Amino acid sequence: MVAVPDPQRYVLTFGCPDRTGIIARIAGFLADHGGMIVEAAYHTDPDTGWFFTRQVVRADSLPFDAVGLRERFAAVAAELSAESSWQVRDTGERPRAVVLVSTAGHCLYDLLGRVASGELDVEIAAVIGNHTALADITRAHGIPFHHVPFAPGDKAAAFDEVRKLVDEHDPHAVVLARFMQILPTDLCEAWAGRAINIHHSFLPSFIGARPYHQAHVRGVKLIGATCHYVTADLDAGPIIEQDVIRVDHGDSVDDMVRKGRDIEKVTLARGLRWHLEGRVLVHGNRTVVF
């Protein structure tokens, strides 16, 4: 049986100060142009008084393309005092991602498998590593691998090269798949809202090297992972997804590391999917995930 592709859709997302009539204004605008809403989500944050929404419209119900929708909706966004980051995503355009890696391969292997199987609809345009350990598996999937060594005392030049390689693809997401280098502030700003990181959820309890060893000594009962946007504040960006798994006294350090890697893979894949589908709206250092 041949799978039938989903019809092309436009995904409209934004946030604005809450007030009466926002939903009616959006629905009215789309209805005036014949737009058929097939999915809609709303949320108001009572602490900030901010309204969030995600609207999905069938592309074939509108008399214009995604560019036309952006041009026409701009006036509505201004009327509602929407954030400048409001977006219209066209599902007919396959999103692109660039993945940054070091030597740990579990997250990259998982993403490559999900893309190859069609489970994750994204083009991995390139993989960039500060080591060559993951070059062969990357190229086996037909994806370019770029080695950018980070010489001690000269990381600025290395990051300049990484930035050049990434920006050539203008990716929708820059995925730090256990990339063991801290992005400089200028890259955090340039890739704001696109750079996604994954790490264990022990922070801030077990800082530094060998966190699983530290956790094992303390006898922790839960380990987990956090997927978040990258900001200049190390490991403190807006959280997209988190998950946990139980451990007990019978688990060795190796068991905990294995379980931790499992939960990191799943959490990163979920976070990346939600980001690419336009389900994550950022406001300050918090997110709304529809």
Side-chain angles (χ1 to χ4, degrees):
M1 183 175 180
V2 178
V4 178
D6 291 334
Q8 183 180 1
R9 297 173 178 180
Y10 300 142
V11 181
L12 170 65
T13 56
F14 73 91
C16 67
D18 193 22
R19 73 184 200 194
T20 301
I22 298 175
I23 297 174
R25 183 68 181 93
I26 299 168
F29 164 81
L30 293 171
D32 288 345
H33 296 288
M36 181 182 295
I37 301 173
V38 295
E39 184 180 341
Y42 312 96
H43 173 70
T44 297
D45 183 350
D47 295 329
T48 62
W50 210 257
F51 172 88
F52 305 89
T53 187
R54 179 179 184 270
Q55 306 278 322
V56 183
V57 186
R58 282 190 62 135
D60 58 8
S61 69
L62 291 171
F64 37 75
D65 60 12
V67 174
L69 177 56
R70 292 186 189 100
E71 291 174 347
R72 288 164 176 80
F73 189 76
V76 179
E79 175 188 328
L80 297 174
S81 301
E83 291 183 320
S84 59
S85 59
W86 68 270
Q87 295 182 353
V88 173
R89 174 180 174 265
D90 182 356
T91 65
E93 177 187 356
R94 194 180 190 206
R96 298 173 305 282
V98 173
V99 183
L100 307 185
V101 298
S102 289
T103 58
H106 55 287
C107 288
L108 177 64
Y109 273 75
D110 184 73
L111 293 176
L112 293 175
R114 292 176 190 270
V115 172
S117 67
E119 180 183 341
L120 185 61
D121 185 20
V122 62
E123 174 195 351
I124 298 182
V127 175
I128 303 169
N130 61 321
H131 297 275
T132 59
L134 300 174
D136 289 346
I137 185 60
T138 299
R139 292 171 180 146
H141 282 259
I143 299 170
F145 182 90
H146 304 281
H147 177 218
V148 180
F150 278 64
D154 193 23
K155 290 189 177 184
F159 273 119
D160 286 345
E161 179 64 16
V162 169
R163 180 173 188 169
K164 176 184 175 183
L165 291 168
V166 169
D167 289 351
E168 284 177 358
H169 300 285
D170 189 23
H172 299 84
V174 183
V175 184
L176 281 64
R178 301 300 290 160
F179 180 60
M180 305 307 290
Q181 297 291 332
I182 300 173
L183 292 189
T185 300
D186 64 319
L187 281 189
C188 293
E189 294 174 351
W191 298 339
R194 291 188 294 160
I196 297 173
N197 190 30
I198 184 73
H199 61 72
H200 60 77
S201 286
F202 292 137
L203 298 175
S205 297
F206 304 121
I207 300 172
R210 298 163 65 87
Y212 285 96
H213 291 74
Q214 297 178 54
H216 185 263
V217 170
R218 284 289 303 275
V220 301
K221 299 298 184 273
L222 287 172
I223 59 176
T226 295
C227 176
H228 65 91
Y229 289 112
V230 178
T231 64
D233 294 325
L234 182 62
D235 293 331
I239 294 171
I240 305 170
E241 169 65 335
Q242 291 179 299
D243 206 346
V244 296
I245 188 170
R246 293 197 66 85
V247 295
D248 63 29
H249 58 274
D251 286 311
S252 66
V253 172
D254 288 342
D255 292 330
M256 293 173 64
V257 170
R258 172 177 52 80
K259 290 181 178 182
R261 287 175 175 170
D262 285 345
I263 208 69
E264 285 176 3
K265 293 185 292 187
V266 173
T267 304
L268 177 60
R270 284 191 202 132
L272 177 59
R273 176 189 297 279
W274 294 342
H275 167 80
L276 295 174
E277 291 180 349
R279 296 187 179 277
V280 187
L281 282 70
V282 179
H283 186 61
N285 203 46
R286 297 180 61 187
T287 60
V288 172
V289 183
F290 288 121

